[in-house]
Amino acid sequence: MPKRGRRRKKTRTHVVDNENAASALESAKDLKVPRSLVIRRGKVESEVIELVADLRRLMLPYTAASFKEDAKNRKMTLAHYAKELTGAMGVTHLMAISQNGSRLNLRLARTPAGPTLTFKLKQFSLIKQVRSVQRRPFDSPAAYNHPPIVVTNNFGDATAAPHVKLMRITFQNMFPAVNVATVKL
């Protein structure tokens, strides 16, 4: 038998006094939150691909967790990423992992024209390796709903070299500021 009658029409809706004012407040608040993008460049081993996935999960909720890379994107320079891709998405920091032979490099860049820090990764542990060692591994999806807290105590203090101060400032600016009054630990 054919269906009789029409589709139900929604009659009650939520009322917002001024939609433009509400969206402007949300967008202004969102602009202050630093956003990141974790990418891999060139051909890398499977463990490095898992490291990129772990870093994306660690940087949640203000990162592109399901960013799809194709071959042409992996060959782009960081300047091209900073100019073309990150402007539209509002990304403020890029983390690029590349592998040359046995060397593994991490480049941390502030977009669009900020400083770029380069690190040589000597060793790393994946999340699955850490969980396999733990007696009672704790995994809560709610843990990734809030940004990580970065503690830079005695890192880049007044007696430190300028490059160490730059690293401290870059690491602090990668994550949103913590409001001590409202944080739940």
Side-chain angles (χ1 to χ4, degrees), residues 40 67-76 81 85:
R40 69 179 195 271
F67 182 71
K68 301 295 182 201
E69 299 168 335
D70 56 356
K72 69 174 186 171
N73 282 349
R74 274 188 254 135
K75 293 178 183 176
M76 288 184 195
Y81 265 109
L85 295 178

Side-chain angles (χ1 to χ4, degrees), residues 61-94:
Y62 299 115
T63 190
S66 59
F67 182 71
K68 301 295 182 201
E69 299 168 335
D70 56 356
K72 69 174 186 171
N73 282 349
R74 274 188 254 135
K75 293 178 183 176
M76 288 184 195
T77 62
L78 284 182
H80 186 269
Y81 265 109
K83 188 170 65 173
E84 299 293 327
L85 295 178
T86 61
M89 295 189 293
V91 173
T92 59
H93 290 84
L94 279 175

